[in-house]
Amino acid sequence: MKLQVQTLDGAKSTSDVELNEDVFGLDPRADILHRVVVWQLEKRRGTARGTRERADVARTGKKFGNQKGGGTARHGNRRAPTFIGGGKAHGARVRDFNPSLNKKIRAMGLKMALSSKIKDGTLIVMDNLAVENGKTKNLFANLASLGFGKTTLVIDGDVVDTSFALACGNIHTINVLPAVGANVYDILKAETLVLTRAAVEKLEARFNG
């Protein structure tokens, strides 16, 4: 599968990039994508710190005071939630929000997410991301001709080009990730996916290596 490479100034490059069919040519399955997105979002959730309830507090269980005649309530021990230092009533409990998902399913989900952008025609391959002087105005002037959507995810190679990261730092519609951070949720959420040549090589090596 060949795709024409685009330059940052919006002009079409004369060269093409060969995309691996096993990574970019799959038929997306909604059930696989759904499973991976649910797993990814569940992994993000933080668990509450468990509080100590009445049974977890180490305090005396000896009855203090008389049952009658003291003018106070008839308490049995100091572990009750009504006392300072006692156990908390209906406290937060540790919950597990980290479901497991087979690595093969996760890899398949990422491949299908990439393939879905090819199928929708919203995948752009860039030659490089170098922006002159790292200025936002230099990048902003070319956004209209680049074909970026309302939201764009840009994935580079090992590290994101510093000048591009600086230039799009004030553009909230552009999200930038290195190739190692490519994930199903961010790819599907973005209207347009932009890959550099280096990103294509890294993603294909990630699945073939």
Side-chain angles (χ1 to χ4, degrees):
M1 177 189 302
K2 290 187 177 181
L3 199 67
Q4 194 170 24
V5 178
Q6 189 169 321
T7 58
L8 202 57
D9 58 3
K12 295 289 184 180
S13 174
T14 56
S15 61
D16 295 333
V17 61
E18 185 72 29
L19 300 178
N20 192 332
E21 291 279 353
D22 294 333
V23 178
F24 294 92
L26 301 182
D27 291 328
R29 284 176 49 184
D31 60 323
I32 297 294
L33 294 173
H34 178 265
R35 287 180 63 184
V36 178
V37 169
V38 169
W39 168 81
Q40 188 176 338
L41 295 182
E42 288 292 304
K43 290 283 286 185
R44 290 184 179 184
R45 296 184 65 179
T47 58
R49 184 176 68 87
T51 56
R52 293 192 302 169
E53 298 190 347
R54 184 166 181 164
D56 303 318
V57 177
R59 303 196 76 188
T60 180
K62 179 182 178 181
K63 183 178 177 63
F64 59 93
N66 296 325
Q67 177 80 353
K68 292 178 178 290
T72 59
R74 46 192 179 181
H75 292 293
N77 60 51
R78 289 288 184 177
R79 291 192 295 269
T82 54
F83 293 113
I84 296 176
K88 185 173 180 61
H90 313 295
R93 298 188 179 185
V94 177
R95 299 168 63 191
D96 184 14
F97 295 121
N98 299 325
S100 61
L101 187 63
N102 191 290
K103 287 183 179 179
K104 291 183 179 179
I105 300 297
R106 284 184 262 164
M108 189 184 302
L110 184 54
K111 291 178 184 178
M112 289 182 175
L114 294 170
S115 299
S116 68
K117 293 301 181 182
I118 287 278
K119 188 176 181 180
D120 297 340
T122 55
L123 175 64
I124 300 174
V125 177
M126 306 288 293
D127 194 20
N128 60 74
L129 297 177
V131 179
E132 184 181 357
N133 299 325
K135 295 294 185 180
T136 302
K137 65 178 181 180
N138 295 335
L139 174 63
F140 201 77
N142 297 327
L143 286 183
S145 58
L146 288 174
F148 287 10
K150 293 182 179 178
T151 56
T152 302
L153 174 64
V154 180
I155 300 179
D156 204 352
D158 285 329
V159 293
V160 178
D161 186 276
T162 305
S163 62
F164 186 84
L166 289 173
C168 68
N170 294 329
I171 306 176
H172 69 279
T173 58
I174 299 178
N175 186 22
V176 184
L177 290 174
V180 70
N183 63 87
V184 175
Y185 178 70
D186 286 333
I187 290 174
L188 295 180
K189 186 175 67 172
E191 184 176 323
T192 306
L193 175 63
V194 177
L195 302 177
T196 61
R197 285 181 179 271
V200 172
E201 294 175 2
K202 288 294 179 180
L203 290 173
E204 291 182 349
R206 175 174 174 177
F207 296 117
N208 297 329

